[in-house]
Every structure is written in structure tokens, then in C-alpha cells.
Amino acid sequence: LGCAQGGGGAVAEVRFRLALDGFEAAGTSYPAGTLFVPRLGNPPDTAARLARLATAGLAVEGIRSSFTGGGLSLGSERMVSIGAVRAGLVAGAGVLPSSFGALWHLLDQEVETPVLRLDLPTLGAAELADLDVVVLPGGYGYTAALAGDAGAALEAWVRAGGVLVALGEAVDWVRERGLVELAEWQPGAGGAGGLPGEAGEGTGETTVETAAPIDRPLEVPGAVIASELRQGHPLGAGLPSPPPMLVLGSRPLLASGQPQTDVLTAAGEDPVLAGFAWPESRERIAGSLLAAVAPAGHGKLVLFAQDPAFRGFWRGTMPLLLNAVLYGPYVL
């Protein structure tokens, strides 16, 4: 896929379309996420160019006619023409090096998509002007680093039509900036009466430290969560089933209840497939928001509550991230 985006030599000039629904052609069924490479508009040696993808493990099949026997028509608006994207990846103080490094390797090396490194403290309109997609890796320094001109430039870029992909802690800045209305679990949400924020010793009031576990933030050190994926959403193109996600942290995002926003949520019952989570954490995780897509002016926000490509080894939710980066400007 990255080769077809423009960074892969022999197939860099191949034009293709992305099927957002399944279809049948020449007696074979093809699922959503299939790439259709038409002869018209492509170089005469396209078949030879695509041989490189076949050697990379992808199935490349030819069909003699554009007539489909069922499902999506090859001329449908759900067969979206995809072009090259100009992507930027934010780095610098406040960004987790492990998150940036894994994402850089994934995009630049594994899928061969050129990506521009953006320095967080000096981010400005000039650096963003020619980009279609900007990725914010996980990190704890966005509130301070994007408090001034850099944050204003990024917000203006998104509202003008850019696609901003925020991972993990970066979602907090998006929420703080007012670009999206999403809530997270708060202490006291699970028990009667809640918690006073400034209770002192000897007052008889409940504090976070003395509250029952159901009212405390409880760290999830690492758990694999079953998910529910909104059927037919472009972010899930190519996924045969809802992917499990790796979850860490103490405050899950709450689902908005809007089907256009809530793309991936944790399973509503018994979501923990593997790993460890306290019983109270399991209750909070159930039904929580894992991935969302929301408008911001003329642009789009793609928000992942967790890193979908955690340290480069978590592959289940990685297609969601790649769909957002490689296809986001064309399908969202």
C-alpha cells in the first residue's frame, strides 16, 4: 500500500481506487479494502510494476471486465480514487520518543511513505501549508508546547481542511483546545456522591486515596481488549473483523453515542481478552471509545485513545492508523 502511495519506485506512478464495500468480479468475491487498479490512466507496464507487490506477499489478480456480478460497482462513489498524501509527523520535547520512533519506522520504512518531520516547538503555518495529514504521536508535552502560536497554526490548518491524527495523550490537547467534545472517565463516576476535589485530612470527606476502588483512577498496566467496529466505515477498510486493541492507562474515553464519531469501541461485556485489569477497570473499559472520527471546520480529526501501533509490534489496530494516514484525505 505504501508503495502505491508514491514512495516505492516501480509502482510509484500507479493510480488505484479503494473499495469501501465488497464486490464480486469474474466469479470471485473481494472484500472492502480491496485496491482496484484500472488499465485506463495507468502506464502500459502496470502489470509488471504490480509484480513487486505480489513478491511482497500481497495477492494481485487480473480481471477481464469491469462488470461486477454483485456488490459494489467499480464506478461507484464508494470506489474512491486515491492519490499520494503529504504527511507530517510531529517530534520534539514532549513527544514520547518510543511513539515517534515506531511511527517513523512504520511509515518511512515499512510502507515506504515519505513523511516530513515536524518540530513541535517551532511548528508554524509555513511547515503545515503543503501537508495533507499531520500525526501527533503519544506524549505529555502538547498542552505547553501548543499553547501559543504553534497550537493556533495547527488548529487553523485542520479547520482549513487538514486531517489531524492524534494518538494517546495527544488526544487530550485536541479536547482541551475545544476541537472535539469527548469526555473521559472521572473519579467518582462509578459511585454515589462522587469525590470532593480538595478534601483534607480530618474532614471526614472522601479523597481519591481513601475512596472505594470503584471511585478511584486505577492504572491498567496492559490489557488486550475486544472491540466493536462500525460496519462500513472507511477507517476499517480491509479489516475482516473488529481488531483487538492494547490498552494502558487509568482514564478511558467515554463513547459519544454518535455513530458517525464512534468508529471503534471496546466490547460492551467482558472486553478483556488477555493481560491484566482490575475488576473496576474492566467495568470502565467496557463500551469505552477507542477510535473516533470528527469534523473540525473543513478538516477531520482522527483520534485514537491508545497508540494503535504501540512500539511497532501491535499490529491488530495498525490498519486503522494506516487507513487514516494514507487514505484519510480522500475517504473521510
Side-chain angles (χ1 to χ4, degrees):
L1 301 182
C3 295
Q5 277 293 319
V11 293
E13 299 176 8
V14 172
R15 299 173 181 269
F16 67 97
R17 299 172 188 172
L18 173 68
L20 298 182
D21 297 309
F23 63 96
E24 183 179 313
T28 301
S29 296
Y30 297 95
T34 298
L35 305 184
F36 169 52
V37 182
R39 288 185 179 274
L40 185 63
N42 272 310
D45 61 343
T46 293
R49 292 173 182 248
L50 293 179
R52 173 178 174 179
L53 296 181
T55 59
L58 295 179
V60 179
E61 300 178 6
I63 54 175
R64 294 183 177 276
S65 171
S66 60
F67 177 78
T68 55
L72 187 68
S73 166
L74 298 186
S76 167
E77 62 180 12
R78 297 276 293 172
M79 182 69 77
V80 184
S81 180
I82 303 294
V85 295
R86 298 163 297 179
L89 180 62
V90 171
V95 175
L96 289 174
S98 58
S99 182
F100 170 84
L103 292 170
W104 179 273
H105 187 271
L106 172 64
L107 295 172
D108 186 73
Q109 297 295 312
E110 293 192 51
V111 298
E112 301 181 44
T113 294
V115 60
L116 178 66
R117 182 187 184 278
L118 301 171
D119 191 51
L120 185 59
T122 61
L123 191 63
E127 291 82 5
L128 296 168
D130 294 329
L131 298 178
D132 304 304
V133 180
V134 170
V135 182
L136 299 180
Y140 296 94
Y142 289 107
T143 298
L146 295 177
D149 292 343
L154 186 56
E155 179 177 347
W157 172 83
V158 175
R159 293 190 181 278
V163 176
L164 181 65
V165 182
L167 278 57
E169 301 84 6
V171 175
D172 293 340
W173 176 80
V174 176
R175 294 172 56 240
E176 291 166 4
R177 193 81 188 187
L179 292 172
V180 68
E181 292 185 7
L182 291 176
E184 66 178 17
W185 180 90
Q186 295 292 336
L195 295 176
E198 302 295 334
E201 292 186 11
T203 64
E205 295 178 323
T206 303
T207 67
V208 171
E209 290 76 16
T210 62
I214 197 171
D215 288 326
R216 300 182 198 170
L218 296 174
E219 188 75 17
V220 177
V224 179
I225 303 301
S227 70
E228 297 175 358
L229 179 65
R230 189 163 80 80
Q231 189 72 23
H233 195 279
L235 211 62
L239 287 170
S241 60
M245 178 170 262
L246 182 64
V247 170
L248 305 94
S250 60
R251 292 186 177 179
L253 287 177
L254 304 181
S256 71
Q258 300 297 322
Q260 296 299 322
T261 299
D262 302 341
V263 176
L264 189 73
T265 57
E269 296 183 7
D270 301 322
V272 178
L273 298 174
F276 177 81
W278 299 100
E280 295 80 8
S281 295
R282 291 171 179 254
E283 295 179 11
R284 299 167 197 170
I285 292 171
S288 64
L289 185 61
L290 301 177
V293 174
H298 296 289
K300 290 289 186 179
L301 303 168
V302 183
L303 310 175
F304 291 96
Q306 305 288 329
D307 189 336
F310 183 74
R311 297 188 180 176
F313 82 85
W314 192 255
R315 318 297 281 194
T317 44
M318 192 178 288
L320 293 165
L321 173 64
L322 292 177
N323 285 345
V325 175
L326 301 180
Y327 305 144
Y330 300 95
V331 301
L332 296 180

